[in-house]
Amino acid sequence: MVAKSLIGGGRSLPGLATVNQYNRLRDHIVRSLDVVKGDCTVDGAPANYFEFPYDWRRDNRVSAQRLKEFIDRELPKWATTLPFVRPRVVFVCHSMGGLVAKYYLSALGGWEHCRALITFGTPFRGSLAALDLLANGVRKFGIDFDAVSSVLREFTSVHQLLPRYPVVVDRRPDPGPARAVRVHELSGTVGLLDLKRAAAAYEDFHRRMDEDRSTHAGKSLASLVSMVPVVGYGHGTGQSAVIDDQGLRTVEDGVALDASKQWLTTGDGTVPALSAVPVELSDTGTWAWENAKHSSMHATPAVLKRLIKSLALYSTGLGDLQGSEQAEEPFAFGAGPDPRALNLRVDEVYTQDEPVVVTCASADITAGTHAPQLTFSGPATPTEVVLDEHDGAARWTAVGLSPGSYEVTAVVGDRSVTDVFEVW
């Protein structure tokens, strides 16, 4: 089976992630920039804009090798159209796509051909959602989807999404004093998690991407490639895992983090903020923050506008105006976390006869500064939407939605957040 195109509509994989369509991202780039579109599946004429679909179920190393073969084929062709310029690649990646590109850069020598890596919600350090899924399986509507869970456990890519940092607090009596450990350092039985596959994912995938300056001409990867991770914040996101005699559960509290990192206990609803930062940027603070959900952070109007400005600078640069030693950096994506951030929650999937419940919390709602609003976009409109207050947050209950994929947008004052869900 071969992936032929990017996702065209909102899709949900319960327990792992929800992804919104990439049409807006594509349309904005093609409409705003002078690009020549190519087709990854065809060895055609020279082009400088490609969408690289891959089978996300497979080992990310396989996808990265395919990416290398594709770039080795296409980049020399584009170079023939620019005889006095050495073209390089700019990656714009969402979620797991950033891991594929990063492995290509770090482990397969792709840094030599890359100008920039822009990522939206890429779990460079893993996701608690993957740990929960592999240990406990998929459960929705009060039903254990054992068949789905068993299939997902066969995917190497899902194991490569496991957290790679000390994030599990083991409170079982056997290991001794409770302390935070990495997933592959656990022992005994951890639900249905295969600890051997977890260890292999850490050693063979993540550790292969770690800093090895001997493969980067003696330099740091971050000094050779412009790395711009866009980090989502403000939304309830699994931060730690706790194991006791009741099993494994994920929590939104940073119980596995020391006090100095507690301010990082936020995220995009799927990927923790600290995970969305590449290891190479751990000490630099050059992160771009967005109060957006994982599914849609690559498609908000503000992000798209700033993305185009950055891509334009990568193409033309300002070095000729500043001097070769003082070229300006691309436009920054956003400021740091804002206390007025919106925290939007909606389940990944609902049944047709089940009410859709959406909640949104923010300081502005609590203070009564702005009235919250909610809109739905999809194959149908709700027959009724009721707004009330629940635990200090605005809560909407909508009924009458037919099966399909929907976008839901909460607006509070000058802020808005979009997420997607499906009705089955």
Side-chain angles (χ1 to χ4, degrees):
M1 298 180 66
V2 178
K4 290 294 186 70
S5 62
L6 302 185
I7 292 174
R11 294 292 182 268
S12 175
L13 185 60
L16 189 61
T18 303
V19 177
N20 204 349
Q21 44 96 2
Y22 296 111
N23 294 338
R24 290 184 193 140
L25 179 61
R26 169 196 302 120
D27 294 344
H28 214 74
I29 292 176
V30 173
R31 185 176 65 249
S32 303
L33 300 174
D34 183 17
V35 297
V36 178
K37 295 179 66 175
D39 184 345
C40 285
T41 64
V42 177
D43 187 359
N48 70 339
Y49 171 82
F50 292 91
E51 297 169 3
F52 183 78
Y54 63 96
D55 189 339
W56 65 268
R57 303 168 301 176
R58 302 197 64 184
D59 190 327
N60 283 309
R61 294 173 298 175
V62 173
S63 299
Q65 179 61 37
R66 285 189 56 243
L67 179 63
K68 178 182 186 305
E69 294 167 359
F70 161 73
I71 291 175
D72 288 348
R73 182 190 79 192
E74 295 296 334
L75 199 59
K77 288 195 294 185
W78 185 249
T80 62
T81 70
L82 304 167
F84 303 108
V85 178
R86 177 198 170 198
R88 289 187 291 169
V89 179
V90 174
F91 290 107
V92 179
C93 309
H94 178 238
S95 198
M96 188 190 289
L99 292 178
V100 174
K102 178 64 165 53
Y103 191 88
Y104 162 72
L105 297 178
S106 298
L108 302 181
W111 60 270
E112 292 187 271
H113 309 297
C114 181
R115 183 180 301 277
L117 172 66
I118 301 173
T119 57
F120 298 96
T122 290
F124 291 106
R125 303 167 201 249
S127 165
L128 274 296
L131 175 59
D132 187 29
L133 184 151
L134 291 172
N136 300 322
V138 178
R139 183 176 177 80
K140 287 291 179 183
F141 321 126
I143 302 172
D144 291 319
F145 286 78
D146 294 333
V148 175
S149 302
S150 63
V151 170
L152 290 173
R153 290 192 185 96
E154 294 302 314
F155 297 165
T156 301
S157 60
V158 177
H159 291 81
Q160 291 167 341
L161 295 177
L162 287 168
R164 56 166 293 173
Y165 55 103
V167 75
V168 185
V169 177
D170 195 339
R171 291 178 175 162
R172 294 175 296 185
D174 295 341
R179 63 186 181 91
V181 298
R182 292 178 173 84
V183 173
H184 68 277
E185 295 172 339
L186 292 167
S187 59
T189 301
V190 184
L192 297 173
L193 176 65
D194 187 332
L195 291 177
K196 289 184 177 179
R197 294 194 71 174
Y202 176 75
E203 292 294 339
D204 299 339
F205 182 66
H206 286 284
R207 292 294 291 170
R208 283 287 309 279
M209 289 191 290
D210 283 351
E211 198 73 84
D212 182 0
R213 297 194 177 190
S214 64
T215 64
H216 301 152
K219 298 181 180 180
S220 164
L221 178 64
S223 69
L224 298 166
V225 174
S226 176
M227 304 177 74
V228 184
V230 181
V231 182
Y233 74 93
H235 307 283
T237 308
Q239 302 288 337
S240 305
V242 177
I243 303 179
D244 53 26
D245 54 5
Q246 301 298 313
L248 178 143
R249 65 184 184 278
T250 60
V251 295
E252 294 182 5
D253 298 326
V255 296
L257 302 178
D258 60 46
S260 67
K261 298 181 178 63
Q262 287 298 316
W263 68 279
L264 272 171
T265 54
T266 184
D268 60 23
T270 299
V271 177
L274 63 85
S275 177
V277 180
V279 173
E280 291 82 356
L281 299 185
S282 295
D283 300 319
T284 66
T286 55
W287 317 338
W289 296 87
E290 287 294 333
N291 179 208
K293 294 298 291 282
H294 183 78
S295 66
S296 305
M297 61 192 309
H298 60 283
T300 67
V303 163
L304 290 173
K305 182 178 180 180
R306 291 193 291 271
L307 174 64
I308 295 302
K309 291 181 178 179
S310 289
L311 293 177
L313 270 183
Y314 284 131
S315 175
T316 60
L318 296 177
D320 57 333
L321 300 181
Q322 300 293 328
S324 59
E325 301 295 326
Q326 300 173 332
E328 286 197 16
E329 292 293 321
F331 284 85
F333 271 82
D338 190 306
R340 295 192 302 131
L342 306 186
N343 182 358
L344 182 66
R345 294 177 186 264
V346 60
D347 286 348
E348 299 151 320
V349 295
Y350 296 86
T351 59
Q352 185 175 0
D353 57 354
E354 180 184 14
V356 173
V357 179
V358 182
T359 64
C360 184
S362 79
D364 283 345
I365 293 177
T366 303
T369 307
H370 298 286
Q373 298 177 337
L374 193 73
T375 60
F376 291 89
S377 175
T381 57
T383 57
E384 182 182 20
V385 179
V386 176
L387 171 62
D388 60 10
E389 185 176 316
H390 179 72
D391 293 338
R395 179 178 64 180
W396 294 267
T397 303
V399 296
L401 292 175
S402 58
S405 174
Y406 291 85
E407 280 189 345
V408 58
T409 300
V411 179
V412 181
D414 61 351
R415 294 172 175 267
S416 67
V417 173
T418 298
D419 204 353
V420 298
F421 65 91
E422 289 189 81
V423 176
W424 290 357

